[in-house]
Amino acid sequence: MELPTQTFRVTRADLVRYAGASGDFNPIHWSDRVATKVGLPGVIAHGMFTMALVGRAVTTWAGAPDAVVDFGVRFTRPVVVPDDDEGTEIEVNAVVKEVTEAGLTRLDITATCHGEKVLSQARALVRASR
């Protein structure tokens, strides 16, 4: 069973707020000059910020944050965030892979930006919310 797609807009302002909250002020997350100098296509979103957005989708599907029993991803492609008012979008989809004997639901998750997968092995295990 496929779950409803969730879309998250990411702007440079979001990256600044996340940097302040996380303490990760690496210039690849705010300076095009530095990002391109190290071989990136431009400023990229923090990997953990991307994971957090996917986690938000999982908690929405699960019905409550405490319904998420396990959640993990591998980062495969950076999310490039342009320096404009539009930013970019991350689309998050999931498929119910199985329901375990213990009643837990295993989700296989896909996160894409401009049609390219940005995470691999993204999975969550959730229980029915109370």
Side-chain angles (χ1 to χ4, degrees):
M1 175 175 89
E2 196 165 319
L3 299 176
T5 298
Q6 295 186 56
T7 303
F8 300 94
R9 180 161 303 283
V10 180
T11 66
R12 293 275 178 102
D14 295 320
L15 302 185
V16 170
R17 285 189 286 274
Y18 184 81
S22 70
D24 182 353
F25 293 100
N26 187 322
I28 64 171
H29 303 303
W30 54 268
S31 170
D32 280 307
R33 182 178 50 80
V34 172
T36 56
K37 186 175 181 180
V38 299
L40 294 167
V43 165
I44 62 170
H46 304 74
M48 294 304 291
F49 180 60
T50 302
M51 185 177 179
L53 293 175
V54 175
R56 186 185 302 171
V58 172
T59 62
T60 298
W61 290 319
D66 65 347
V68 180
V69 175
D70 189 43
F71 173 53
V73 306
R74 294 203 186 223
F75 305 104
T76 55
R77 184 178 307 275
V79 174
V80 179
V81 181
D83 189 11
D84 60 22
D85 293 334
E86 299 301 312
T88 194
E89 287 185 339
I90 298 172
E91 245 185 39
V92 186
N93 298 287
V95 174
V96 173
K97 195 65 175 174
E98 72 170 316
V99 177
T100 69
E101 290 182 22
L104 300 174
T105 302
R106 184 171 313 280
L107 304 177
D108 280 358
I109 305 161
T110 304
T112 59
C113 183
H114 297 292
E116 306 249 355
K117 285 176 78 171
V118 296
L119 301 175
S120 68
Q121 298 180 28
R123 297 184 181 101
L125 191 62
V126 300
R127 67 173 166 263
S129 61
R130 297 174 209 156

